[in-house]
């Protein structure tokens, strides 16, 4: 009889490993990305899956916004603007402009780097 050994769970990727795979500062223009992937097969699903893997709710990210990936004291992070919601889930209007929705800045650790063709290096041209 052979011994069966259970598979050991693999540890999550460390932020050091992620930092090695991502340059210092990258920007994802959400509107540009939407325009490029919307009509491709599973394009939006891939974007939403990437956001969820990085603890971002895709429903809270305005289309006309940016996701900034940069180094911080905690490792690589994603900084973005998220729509503000009430505890019941309703959206807040912007107090300064009632025709717009209110947003707030959020930061999350980068767990999974984005595909290279989604990003624009800070101060550079689209890849």
């Amino acid at each position: 009889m052979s011994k069966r050994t259970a598979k050991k769970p693999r540890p999550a990727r460390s932020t050091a490993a992620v930092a090695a795979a991502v340059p210092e500062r990258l920007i994802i223009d959400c509107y540009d990305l939407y325009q490029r992937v919307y009509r491709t097969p599973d394009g939006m699903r891939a974007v939403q899956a990437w956001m969820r893997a990085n603890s971002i709710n895709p429903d809270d990210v305005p289309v006309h916004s940016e996701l900034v990936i940069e180094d911080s004291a905690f490792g690589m992070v994603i900084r973005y603007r998220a729509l503000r919601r009430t505890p019941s889930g309703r959206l807040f209007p912007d107090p300064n402009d009632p025709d717009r929705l209110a947003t707030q800045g959020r930061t999350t650790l980068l767990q999974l780097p984005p595909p290279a063709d989604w990003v624009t290096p800070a101060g550079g041209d689209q890849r």
Side-chain angles (χ1 to χ4, degrees), residues 62 81-85 91-95 97 100-104:
R81 304 289 303 171
L83 296 172
R84 291 189 59 202
R85 295 182 182 270
L91 297 171
F92 278 110
D94 188 330
D97 184 358
R100 299 181 64 138
L101 295 173
T103 61
Q104 64 186 26

Side-chain angles (χ1 to χ4, degrees), residues 47-92:
V47 172
Q48 292 170 345
W50 178 81
M51 285 184 179
R52 286 186 183 101
N54 285 292
S55 302
I56 299 172
N57 181 350
D59 295 332
D60 288 345
V61 179
V63 172
H64 293 285
S65 66
E66 294 179 336
L67 301 170
V68 178
I69 301 169
E70 61 188 4
D71 200 5
S72 75
F74 302 102
M76 297 301 289
V77 295
I78 304 171
R79 298 186 197 284
Y80 64 102
R81 304 289 303 171
L83 296 172
R84 291 189 59 202
R85 295 182 182 270
T86 65
S88 64
R90 296 182 63 154
L91 297 171
F92 278 110

